[in-house]
Amino acid sequence: MEELYMKIVLLYGGQSAEHDISLISAHNIMQSIMYNYYEVQPVYITKQGDWLKGAPLSGPLSHSNQLALTAGPQARWAEGPEGQSVGTLIQPGDIKEADTIVFPVLHGPNGEDGTIQGFLEVLGMPYVGAGVTASACGMDKVISKQLFHQAGLPQVPYVAFDSREWAQSPEEWMNRCEGNLLYPLFVKPANMGSSVGISKATTTEELRAAVEKALQFDRRIVVEQGISAQECEVAVLGNDDAHASVVGRLVKTADFYDYDEKYVNNTVEMEIPAQLPDAISDKIQEYALRAYRALDGKGLSRVDFFVTASHDIYINEINTMPGFTPYSMYPCLWEATGLNTRDLIEELLQLALKSFEDKQAYKQVSR
């Protein structure tokens, strides 16, 4: 056994609607950590926002259900998926230790949107993934669309507005949507992921209901024109020298998959690599890297596209902390590109350390 030289704080759970996905992602990451180099310190953020510190791990747990901690006087792991693991209640700042790197496996608001990243910056700890700006902009569909436009990336037509504007004049915004966009329409909360709060609308009545539903998840929403297209995705890895994976495609039997179909019923299949002409795959990879740089991405992201039958390409969105479940596109894309999950996790940790070292060097110069 080689000497342990660093601790990984695996931060997971969170208060977003993607809480349960985070547990599955964290469990999958846990399987691929090199435990001869690292000790893993799980820290669970409950749906109520409490931080619970689990017992340190020198090897992976057998089931993701074991990661759901309840508060108690002494941390311990359940014997199996049906038991109840116990964690000790801590203050968020208690995670700060020397020779420690944080892997924030948090999806959605209060995790992937720059809030945790800002907290870790204040603590002065290295962490995996995008920084504050890229996380916040990537999470916000309105802002990311504006940045994509500035970067010259093609997008489907859309209309964006907020709850105040909707409350003042819903008919005006209905008219704007129906006057500028063609059905079917897809209505999305501006700051949400994993298809949470997203609806497809084919009539005026469905559009109105879809807007009301989306506003339950966020005060700002986006209404996009639907197109007949394949959904393709690219994984990006790196800091300033980022590179793109092969292109993957979602094989769909329906034109829209909601949260349950993606994560509960798991009916979405992936075609990796996507059966596309080389020139089209190359262009998608180029667009993915351009989007990544437009947001000043770090570490990792998954960039999603629409590709029509005539091979027109439209960027959809960027995910700065994509799902890491066993059936998530991001790790599967890198596996197909020749980078297994074990080496991928190690690369992400090293990228985080390099990013932290660079920031520390800039701070020294400015003093």
Side-chain angles (χ1 to χ4, degrees):
M1 181 69 70
E2 299 189 36
E3 183 179 356
L4 174 74
Y5 65 84
M6 183 156 285
K7 177 182 286 188
I8 300 171
V9 171
L10 196 63
L11 195 58
Y12 63 94
Q15 294 182 270
S16 82
E18 299 170 81
H19 177 101
D20 293 341
I21 304 167
S22 173
L23 268 67
I24 302 172
S25 291
H27 182 259
N28 190 46
I29 289 169
M30 184 183 292
Q31 311 307 305
S32 299
I33 289 172
M34 298 182 185
Y35 287 92
N36 55 326
Y37 291 105
Y38 303 101
E39 178 183 76
V40 174
Q41 176 57 71
V43 176
Y44 173 55
I45 303 176
T46 70
K47 292 181 180 180
Q48 293 73 39
D50 293 326
W51 290 48
L52 299 176
K53 183 177 180 179
L57 292 171
S58 57
L61 296 172
S62 61
H63 201 280
S64 62
N65 286 357
Q66 295 170 276
L67 288 172
L69 302 172
T70 188
Q74 184 173 358
R76 61 174 177 80
W77 295 106
E79 294 294 326
E82 303 305 322
Q84 183 63 65
S85 299
V86 176
T88 56
L89 186 65
I90 63 170
Q91 294 300 313
D94 293 342
I95 67 171
K96 183 174 175 61
E97 293 185 51
D99 299 320
T100 299
I101 182 170
V102 181
F103 201 138
V105 194
L106 298 163
H107 309 307
N110 294 320
E112 194 180 346
D113 59 357
T115 51
I116 285 292
Q117 289 74 19
F119 167 69
L120 296 173
E121 292 283 354
V122 172
L123 285 184
M125 298 184 71
Y127 59 90
V128 171
V132 177
T133 301
S135 298
C137 293
M139 189 72 208
D140 191 299
K141 292 180 176 63
V142 178
I143 292 175
S144 61
K145 284 180 179 295
Q146 293 168 347
L147 290 173
F148 295 156
H149 175 73
Q150 291 181 356
L153 297 170
Q155 303 178 77
V156 298
Y158 71 94
V159 172
F161 51 90
D162 60 35
S163 57
R164 179 187 61 83
E165 293 170 322
W166 175 257
Q168 288 180 343
S169 183
E171 294 307 320
E172 176 187 347
W173 288 102
M174 289 289 295
N175 291 336
R176 287 199 193 186
C177 291
E178 294 185 323
N180 291 283
L181 308 174
L182 300 174
Y183 285 109
L185 303 178
F186 290 89
V187 184
K188 306 177 178 181
N191 285 278
M192 195 58 65
S194 299
S195 298
V196 175
I198 297 179
S199 301
K200 177 184 177 183
T202 57
T203 65
T204 298
E205 292 74 19
E206 289 179 354
L207 175 59
R208 193 183 302 273
V211 170
E212 295 292 350
K213 176 182 177 180
L215 287 172
Q216 296 175 16
F217 294 91
D218 193 20
R219 53 176 290 275
R220 297 162 69 237
I221 67 169
V222 175
V223 180
E224 295 178 346
Q225 180 171 301
I227 58 172
S228 177
Q230 307 174 66
E231 291 188 28
C232 296
E233 302 181 350
V234 177
V236 179
L237 177 69
N239 292 341
D240 293 338
D241 58 344
H243 45 286
S245 72
V246 299
V247 180
R249 182 175 74 92
L250 298 180
V251 180
K252 304 171 70 176
T253 56
D255 57 3
F256 172 58
Y257 285 96
D258 60 13
Y259 177 95
D260 284 346
E261 292 305 311
K262 283 185 177 180
Y263 295 104
V264 179
N265 301 326
N266 192 25
T267 59
V268 181
E269 297 182 7
M270 299 178 293
E271 178 185 86
I272 304 175
Q275 299 305 299
L276 294 168
D278 290 345
I280 300 305
S281 293
D282 291 346
K283 179 61 70 174
I284 293 171
Q285 291 171 320
E286 175 196 332
Y287 283 169
L289 290 172
R290 198 189 301 180
Y292 192 73
R293 293 178 181 125
L295 269 67
D296 191 30
K298 292 287 187 298
L300 74 162
S301 285
R302 194 194 72 236
V303 192
D304 302 347
F305 295 89
F306 299 122
V307 182
T308 68
S310 57
H311 294 147
D312 293 320
I313 304 168
Y314 301 94
I315 189 168
N316 180 22
E317 62 185 22
I318 187 169
N319 296 269
T320 55
M321 186 53 72
F324 251 95
T325 71
Y327 41 83
S328 289
M329 185 69 92
Y330 188 86
C332 292
L333 284 169
W334 280 117
E335 190 80 36
T337 308
L339 185 65
N340 63 48
T341 302
R342 180 183 174 89
D343 291 338
L344 173 60
I345 297 301
E346 180 61 22
E347 178 68 11
L348 288 170
L349 293 168
Q350 295 304 318
L351 287 168
L353 291 173
K354 179 62 167 61
S355 179
F356 181 74
E357 290 169 1
D358 289 345
K359 284 184 285 188
Q360 295 304 107
Y362 293 136
K363 288 180 182 178
Q364 290 295 330
V365 172
S366 65
R367 286 173 182 165

